[in-house]
Amino acid sequence: MTSNYLPAMNRRNFLQQSGSLIAGALLTESALSNIGATAAKTRIAMVGTGVRGIGMWGRPVIKEFGDQIEFVGLCDINPGRVETAQKSLGLSCPTFTDFDKMMQETKPQRLLVMTVDGTHHDFIIRGMEYGADIITEKPMTIDEKKCQAILDAEKKTGRKVTVTFNYRYSPHRQKMYELLRNDAIGKLTSVDFHWYLDVYHGADYFRRWHRLRKHSGSLLVHKATHHFDLLNWWINSEPAEVHAFGALEHYGKNNPFRHTHCRPCPHKQQCKFYWDMTKNPQLMALYAANEHHDGYHRDGCVWREDIDIFDKMAVQIKYANNVQVSYSLTTYSPYEGYRIAFNGTKGRLEAWIKEKQPWEEEPFDEIQLTTNFGKREIFRIPNNEEGHGGGDVRLRKQVFNPGDDPWRQAAGSRDGAMSVLIGVAARNSIDTGKPVKIADLTSLKPMLERP
């Protein structure tokens, strides 16, 4: 994409009036009503047309909100990939490799930012300068300077940034929020939160662009942002101080052999992490068929020596309301899931969520509530909905057709910043060996309760 920056545009008037109604005559109440009934759809553009973009914010949005929105442009640095995405989505809108040209020619009201994390800030800021509200994938950005730039641009332009934290919307996580707010365990004092990525999903981050800090900010930012946001939401406070440890001890240089990527690898027979991408037609069409444009290998080797992110992480977080959190992330576990426990003055709320495999038929997730000097209660929450237990569908409804928000699940730039800043502080702490205060990173000062 072009790196040229253009002056901010004045916000265009999106109310489209027909020539016959602008003839100088006063509009009657009936005529105004008719205009409202036939109002133009919301104009949407997307930058970043990888699997996440078209799979989460392309195809489903067209299906679920096609009567409300209209895609007016798609943009990607890879010309083949953006054309493949256009065909996959069944759209006739123009495609671009020049972001500024897309914004100038299509003038979207809302911009979907689905690019590599390290470029989010660029498109979020320029998108707002062009007059668009932003819908961005998490993490909002990857370091404190980029985060501050986004906050400053949002304030300056008056536009809005929405961060898409789908984990907030899954029913079992919502139930935990509800129980905590209803004083089920009394005053919350500490949380134990441990996330396990298995040798399939976890390894995949080391195959792709996420393996480089400059693109992902490390998994403390890219992946753990999800988890830190859940903590901020559940605890209903903001982080104040972070101390962390981490290392790269499994992937990367920690293997006697390696290659560029899996398909031509001479070590296929002996590598347990060999992945046959040719079995996935969508990935072959979107990535393999277009890798000659930019050299990006979707099936990159997990043993590449340029990998500079951590594969094991442990983080201590102190919140403004004095809640303490012990968090860990492991990327080479035999199973996928997490354990969490909330400790309070009246009891303990806990869950062990193991991600379902296609052959498993567990129809629910369990939450256990144990009160001091009392009984144990088990809550069984159905988990048979598609898209992160139904979280994806609920999130999209809130983004494109907002209504009541009793559990405060909608997330803006402050939510995006606070989740990112925990990961940034943890990364900085590992690099320096010192604890990091959140207030030292940006102009945001941690609040006792989420504002």
Side-chain angles (χ1 to χ4, degrees), residues 199-217:
V199 289
Y200 304 101
H201 185 199
D204 211 36
Y205 290 109
F206 295 84
R207 292 190 181 99
R208 298 178 285 164
W209 53 264
H210 310 74
R211 75 186 192 279
L212 300 176
R213 284 192 186 196
K214 66 180 182 180
H215 294 324
S216 68

Side-chain angles (χ1 to χ4, degrees), residues 139-155:
M140 187 173 74
T141 188
I142 64 168
D143 66 41
E144 58 269 50
K145 292 182 179 179
K146 295 178 176 63
C147 184
Q148 186 65 61
I150 291 172
L151 298 173
D152 291 342
E154 186 179 36
K155 183 177 181 180

Side-chain angles (χ1 to χ4, degrees), residues 76-78 81 287 290-297:
D76 196 286
I77 194 172
N78 187 306
R81 188 158 58 237
Y287 293 104
N290 299 306
E291 60 190 17
H292 63 281
H293 291 293
D294 55 14
Y296 176 63
H297 295 136

Side-chain angles (χ1 to χ4, degrees), residues 154-422:
E154 186 179 36
K155 183 177 181 180
K156 179 180 179 180
T157 62
R159 308 317 305 163
K160 179 182 178 182
V161 176
T162 297
V163 185
T164 58
F165 288 119
N166 55 341
Y167 275 19
R168 292 186 180 192
Y169 291 83
S170 60
H172 74 278
R173 296 181 185 114
Q174 180 178 302
K175 183 63 176 179
M176 284 189 262
Y177 179 93
E178 178 185 350
L179 290 166
L180 291 168
R181 297 288 80 74
N182 289 339
D183 200 39
I185 60 171
K187 180 184 177 182
L188 180 63
T189 58
S190 66
V191 184
D192 307 311
F193 194 13
H194 307 289
W195 201 284
Y196 314 103
L197 292 170
D198 65 22
V199 289
Y200 304 101
H201 185 199
D204 211 36
Y205 290 109
F206 295 84
R207 292 190 181 99
R208 298 178 285 164
W209 53 264
H210 310 74
R211 75 186 192 279
L212 300 176
R213 284 192 186 196
K214 66 180 182 180
H215 294 324
S216 68
S218 82
L219 292 182
L220 282 167
V221 176
H222 175 82
K223 183 61 179 176
T225 291
H226 257 325
H227 315 151
F228 297 147
D229 175 70
L230 284 174
L231 286 167
N232 296 346
W233 179 60
W234 280 325
I235 294 170
N236 195 37
S237 184
E238 294 186 329
E241 188 171 352
V242 175
H243 195 188
F245 299 91
L248 177 64
E249 291 184 347
H250 182 67
Y251 301 106
K253 297 178 181 180
N254 301 292
N255 197 59
F257 59 81
R258 58 191 44 81
H259 198 62
T260 54
H261 55 299
C262 285
R263 275 164 289 153
C265 184
H267 308 291
K268 294 178 183 180
Q269 300 303 318
Q270 64 186 117
C271 184
K272 292 183 177 180
F273 286 87
Y274 167 69
W275 175 57
D276 189 357
M277 179 178 166
T278 64
K279 294 181 178 180
N280 189 316
Q282 181 186 19
L283 295 183
M284 290 298 291
L286 195 60
Y287 293 104
N290 299 306
E291 60 190 17
H292 63 281
H293 291 293
D294 55 14
Y296 176 63
H297 295 136
R298 174 60 181 79
D299 59 342
C301 180
V302 300
W303 311 119
R304 278 178 295 191
E305 295 186 348
D306 64 350
I307 293 173
D308 64 356
I309 62 173
F310 314 113
D311 54 24
K312 70 172 187 178
M313 294 140 273
V315 184
Q316 296 291 314
I317 311 167
K318 182 179 180 180
Y319 277 78
N321 65 356
N322 214 36
V323 169
Q324 298 176 180
V325 173
S326 294
Y327 168 86
S328 69
L329 175 61
T330 306
T331 62
Y332 40 85
S333 299
Y335 56 81
E336 184 102 356
Y338 64 93
R339 291 176 183 264
I340 190 163
F342 301 89
N343 303 298
T345 55
K346 296 180 182 178
R348 178 177 169 99
L349 185 68
E350 56 194 311
W352 177 18
I353 307 299
K354 186 172 179 291
E355 298 290 344
K356 287 194 307 178
Q357 299 298 330
W359 57 86
E360 296 177 325
E361 297 183 356
E362 282 292 337
F364 52 79
D365 291 318
E366 288 188 343
I367 303 172
Q368 178 176 292
L369 172 62
T370 308
T371 56
N372 294 348
F373 315 107
K375 298 181 179 180
R376 183 179 64 178
E377 185 175 1
I378 301 294
F379 299 89
R380 290 184 170 179
I381 313 300
N383 66 4
N384 53 7
E385 296 181 68
E386 293 184 3
H388 297 93
D392 292 354
V393 174
R394 291 174 174 83
L395 166 63
R396 286 191 294 266
K397 286 181 179 178
Q398 186 64 35
V399 169
F400 291 103
N401 193 17
D404 293 337
D405 187 19
W407 309 121
R408 301 181 65 196
Q409 289 159 308
S413 60
R414 189 178 182 101
D415 299 283
M418 283 299 173
S419 61
V420 163
L421 292 176
I422 297 177

